[in-house]
Every structure is written in C-alpha cells, then in structure tokens.
Amino acid sequence: MNGQRIPPRIAPSLLSADPLRIWEGLQSLAGEYDWIHLDIMDGHFVPNLSYGPALLKALRSALPEAVLDVHLMVEPPENFIDSFLRWKPDYLVVHQEATPHLHRVLQAIREGGSRPGVALNPGTCVEALDPILPFVDLVLVMSVNPGFGGQAFIPEVLSKTRTLCQRRAARGLGFLVEMDGGIGLSNVEEVVRSGCDVIVAGNAIFGEADPALTARLLRKKAREAGSGE
Ligand code: DX5
Ligand code: ZN
C-alpha cells in the first residue's frame, strides 16, 4: 500500500435486502455504493442458511462491471469454491476457522481468477493470519459473530485492524482490510479511523426507509474519516 490509503469503500450486504426484491433493493441505492457484499451461509459453519452460486451468477450477468465481494461462511470452503469461481467474483473470501488447508484454498482461488480473501471471527486471534498474509488481497475482520444481519458491533475487534495495518506496512504487503457486522452511521468513522478500507453494512442501509440516503451518508462519513478530516 506504500502508506497511501484508498478512499474507503462501502459494500452493502444483500442479506438485509428484501429477499423477494433483491434487484429492487440494489436499485434503491441509486449507485451510492462501491462493492456488493454477498453472504453465503451453509447452516453448518454458521447457524443460518442464505443463498448459493445462482445469485452470484445472476448478479454477474446483470452487473458485469460491479465489484462482487463473496463472503463464504461454509465449511469446508474447498468443496464450494469452484461453483463460485465459475461466475467470476472479484473477491472470494473464506474463513480462517473453516479449513485446515487455508493456504491451498487461497492459492486455488487466485488460480481460479479471483482475488483471495480471508475472514476472521471475533474469537480468533489476528496472529492466526500471519503465515498467509502475503497470499491474500483482502482480510475481512468480523465485528459480529457470523450468521445474521442486524447484530450489535463488537468494538474490541478494532485493535485487530490496527495490528493488521501495522503488519501490512512492516511487511510491505498490499491487502485491503474489510470490516463486517453492526456498522452504521454511528460508528463508521471509528471503523475507518482504525484503518479499514472496506465497510460492509446490511441492516444500517436496507433497514432504513431511504437506503440511498443512508448509503450516501455512510460513504461521506467514511471518506471524511479516511482523509483525516
Ligand atoms: C453476517 C454477515 C454480514 C451481515 C452484516 O454473518 O457476514 O455481512 O449481513 O449485516 P449488518 O450490517 O446488519 O450487521
Ligand atoms: Zn458478510
């Protein structure tokens, strides 16, 4: 990253959109987003189910230029990555806790043409990622326990972001840091100030009467906090 920060990206999580109106939900944002975050849950790694590769296929076909950020909460991820890589997600993110073969999975994602990312549960130490940091383009720090939208933010995870940013600089690496869970207008600035480059928000955007307005405000606050204003 050469010490230069990118302007923070806002990634709405479709998990909080009306499942009967996902497309209308995206349109209701009026372009006030940077990435689209897709949560894939298997009812095994996390105690909930969501959707599968068919939604990624549909989004990729409808929005060929969109940055699609796929968060796999499945175990083991190696059984599922091919069915997602086929539809060319920009980022394909697997959990550190979900496989003993993390390096192999990350390598397979890169070879499959997507950018590999690794996610970390709130209860996992950031040091667990040290060996694989050179192999990822994204580290997703979970700020709630994965499985559900609309949960309360766990502020203690912010220290993980600071540590990751220090290690990124010390080792000359270029991965982005993303945070996911419980982020909204009241805490987005704090999250960006801790060093996050990509902010996921579900309930804070789709739970509002005017999602485009909230997404615009989140972006504005994130950018101001990112530029030190
Ligand atoms: C939780 C998911 C999140 C979730 C975030 O397991 O990974 O992406 O949709 O939702 P909010 O922003 O409502 O906490
Ligand atoms: Zn997510």
Side-chain angles (χ1 to χ4, degrees):
M1 300 279 294
N2 304 324
Q4 271 308 90
R5 280 191 74 172
I6 62 159
R9 304 321 196 215
I10 297 294
S13 163
L14 297 183
L15 195 65
S16 294
D18 180 342
L20 281 179
R21 298 171 188 276
I22 289 178
W23 182 245
E24 289 88 338
L26 265 176
Q27 287 179 316
S28 77
L29 300 178
E32 298 284 351
Y33 62 89
D34 302 291
W35 295 11
I36 298 171
H37 185 82
L38 206 55
D39 289 300
I40 311 295
M41 303 183 182
D42 68 350
H44 170 63
F45 180 66
V46 288
N48 198 6
L49 292 161
S50 58
Y51 19 64
L55 182 58
L56 175 64
K57 176 187 178 190
L59 286 169
R60 179 47 84 213
S61 140
L63 299 168
E65 305 300 326
V67 179
L68 300 178
D69 171 32
V70 175
H71 178 191
L72 289 184
M73 286 161 273
V74 303
E75 184 177 1
E78 45 270 51
N79 288 4
F80 299 92
I81 56 173
D82 287 345
S83 57
F84 288 91
L85 287 169
R86 192 167 166 212
W87 307 115
K88 307 204 173 311
D90 293 84
Y91 291 86
L92 189 56
V93 182
V94 300
H95 268 262
Q96 185 275 342
E97 304 86 358
T99 175
H101 303 293
L102 187 56
H103 180 270
R104 184 187 291 159
V105 181
L106 296 168
Q107 212 169 25
I109 292 173
R110 197 177 293 287
E111 282 165 9
S114 291
R115 293 174 181 272
V118 64
L120 205 60
N121 280 339
T124 308
C125 291
V126 76
E127 286 72 22
L129 297 185
D130 274 345
I132 51 83
L133 289 179
F135 305 100
V136 295
D137 288 346
L138 180 83
V139 175
L140 193 175
V141 178
M142 288 303 300
S143 40
V144 297
N145 286 292
F148 302 92
Q151 302 181 79
F153 184 75
I154 301 170
E156 286 78 6
V157 302
L158 291 172
S159 64
K160 294 187 190 179
T161 312
R162 292 189 205 98
T163 304
L164 283 166
C165 293
Q166 282 160 7
R167 291 184 186 190
R168 176 172 68 189
R171 296 168 69 177
L173 299 173
F175 58 84
L176 298 176
V177 180
E178 178 176 42
M179 190 162 277
D180 181 6
I183 305 174
L185 289 172
S186 64
N187 59 0
V188 66
E189 288 155 306
E190 189 186 10
V191 169
V192 171
R193 274 192 235 108
S194 80
C196 286
D197 306 296
V198 187
I199 312 295
V200 178
N203 195 51
I205 292 178
F206 291 109
E208 290 296 320
D210 188 342
L213 175 64
T214 313
R216 182 160 67 243
L217 291 173
L218 268 177
R219 246 176 160 185
K220 183 170 182 291
K221 282 192 167 206
R223 287 188 180 172
E224 284 169 4
S227 65
E229 279 175 38

